Amino acid sequence: DGGITQSPKYLFRKEGQNVTLSCEQNLNHDAMYWYRQDPGQGLRLIYYSQIVNDFQKGDIAEGYSVSREKKESFPLTVTSAQKNPTAFYLCASIGTGDGTEAFFGQGTRLTVV
Amino acid sequence: SQQGEEDPQALSIQEGENATMNCSYKTSINNLQWYRQNSGRGLVHLILIRSNEREKHSGRLRVTLDTSKKSSSLLITASRAADTASYFCATGPSGGYNKLIFGAGTRLAVHP
């Protein structure tokens, strides 16, 4: 089955630690995205990538980093510089061409303990 | 920066009633999409309307787009308790990239 998979579903981080959230897709999509969602809020764009080895900052990139070494994978690292990382993180991918829908993973809920 | 802004922020109705949600945006778009999110889950695509379309239907969903007013509406007819979710509009801006920008969403509660 084609789809987009995020792992883990729940993640706990101690203050001062870096953590990496995984996002893998087998839809052969070029574009991948990371969004952050706070309780009762909408989605804010962290980073996005249109092609392998290239990515751009979204609206709230500070304290986050990404890589895109493979088409299928777009991991997000939440660094210790992110002062308020507790949130729900969503990864999405989109195919090429105008007017295509986004496919979302099931999300990772990150909590700082 | 948020492109789409939905209203109302929350909507509570009875089963069988229609639910209407509105979305406004700021810049030129290629298309506008509506997504649904159940609590604690990922988003699921519902319907896409292109900038040269005015209305689109899919089952109990009806979407309209008014590019002159930079607004769209999503109508869910004959709502069911299972329609309880958050609904988001997302705009695909013109200019080449498929960068989707989401609004804050409308939280819909349908009571049996």
Side-chain angles (χ1 to χ4, degrees), chain A residues 33 35 37 59 97 100 102 106, chain B residues 1 33 35 37 41 98 100:
Chain A
Y33 302 80
Y35 293 92
Q37 186 178 34
D59 299 319
T100 56
Q106 289 303 301
Chain B
S1 59
Q33 304 181 29
Y35 289 79
Q37 183 184 34
R41 306 297 296 272
N98 283 324
L100 284 184

Side-chain angles (χ1 to χ4, degrees), chain B residues 1 5 31 34 43 90 96 109:
Chain B
S1 59
E5 295 291 337
N31 61 78
W34 285 91
L43 278 69

Side-chain angles (χ1 to χ4, degrees), chain A residues 8-21:
Chain A
K9 188 172 181 179
Y10 299 97
L11 187 57
F12 297 90
R13 190 194 95 167
K14 293 182 180 179
E15 288 196 25
Q17 276 185 338
N18 292 355
V19 290
T20 297
L21 284 60

Side-chain angles (χ1 to χ4, degrees), chain A residues 27-41:
Chain A
L27 299 165
N28 200 33
H29 287 169
D30 286 314
M32 296 186 74
Y33 302 80
W34 275 106
Y35 293 92
R36 170 180 170 140
Q37 186 178 34
D38 292 288
Q41 303 297 312

